[in-house]
Amino acid sequence: MGFRITTMLLTSVLILAHASAAHASDTAAGKASYAVCATCHGRSGEGKRAMNAPKLAGLAGWYLKLQLEAFKSGVRGTANGDTYGMQMRPMATTLASATAEDDLIAYIVSLPAKPAKATIAGDIEAGRVQYEACVACHGQNAEGNQQLSSPRLAGQDDWYLLRQIRNFNTGVRGGDPGDTVGMQM
């Protein structure tokens, strides 16, 4: 009897392991889903300022997943004054399954990241000094840190970064009690 239970348990574990590994993200399916995203974020994930949509190319898959989940759960895109987040939230909720989400993210991660164009003039040295407060979470080179849920900032559009800093300062972003990641910022 013990052998039989052990065999059944082992078989169950192997089936579960196979099932969870069975879905390799399908970038072709993700590309098809991305067609809707391209309207705002650009065909190559380059972002579109006119649509107030940030650059997605160059962002890590874990961060894209984190943000999609934040929009879907309502911790992002529901605050008063978050006009652009309110536009994104319903788009995130159209992803019917975790598989569709993973496929979309796999496609976005495959997009080549091109340098963002500077649109804001400022004092680079003063910015470097101010960035010292950001290094602990976002990294010396703004490369991000998954363990701290801190995204890559390098390569992102300056206009978008400025808007997000302002959103965090006013509580439009990170103000929801369920947004523990946003509250860090």
Side-chain angles (χ1 to χ4, degrees):
M1 177 128 172
F3 175 75
R4 187 175 204 188
I5 292 172
T6 303
T7 304
M8 288 173 36
L9 181 61
L10 182 58
T11 302
S12 297
V13 168
L14 290 173
I15 289 170
L16 286 173
H18 177 71
S20 64
H23 176 75
S25 295
D26 181 351
T27 55
K31 182 177 183 178
S33 294
Y34 186 77
V36 174
C37 310
T39 303
C40 296
H41 292 282
R43 286 184 45 210
S44 299
E46 72 276 13
K48 288 185 181 179
R49 188 173 187 180
M51 299 299 291
N52 295 292
K55 179 179 174 182
L56 300 178
L59 290 173
W62 64 265
Y63 184 71
L64 293 167
K65 180 94 169 170
L66 187 70
Q67 294 311 302
L68 279 174
E69 293 301 320
F71 280 113
K72 286 173 92 172
S73 71
V75 298
R76 247 192 109 181
T78 57
N80 287 335
D82 190 7
T83 306
Y84 308 122
M86 288 178 186
Q87 292 170 346
M88 180 58 199
R89 184 161 189 265
M91 302 312 294
T93 61
T94 64
L95 293 165
S97 68
T99 298
E101 204 172 276
D102 292 344
D103 293 345
L104 175 63
I105 290 168
Y107 176 71
I108 293 170
V109 169
S110 77
L111 297 171
K114 296 178 183 163
K117 294 178 183 163
T119 63
I120 298 173
D123 181 339
I124 293 174
E125 181 57 27
R128 185 192 63 72
V129 170
Q130 289 178 327
Y131 184 74
E132 288 302 317
C134 310
V135 168
C137 295
H138 292 282
Q140 188 67 41
N141 298 307
E143 69 274 12
N145 183 332
Q146 182 175 359
Q147 286 73 31
L148 299 175
S149 300
S150 302
R152 173 182 178 84
L153 301 176
Q156 186 52 268
D157 291 306
D158 54 6
W159 59 267
Y160 181 75
L161 293 173
L162 179 61
R163 185 169 75 223
Q164 295 315 303
I165 289 168
R166 289 178 176 158
N167 284 349
F168 280 115
N169 283 336
T170 61
V172 168
R173 185 166 175 190
D176 187 286
D179 190 2
T180 54
V181 173
M183 284 185 206
Q184 292 174 162
M185 183 61 187

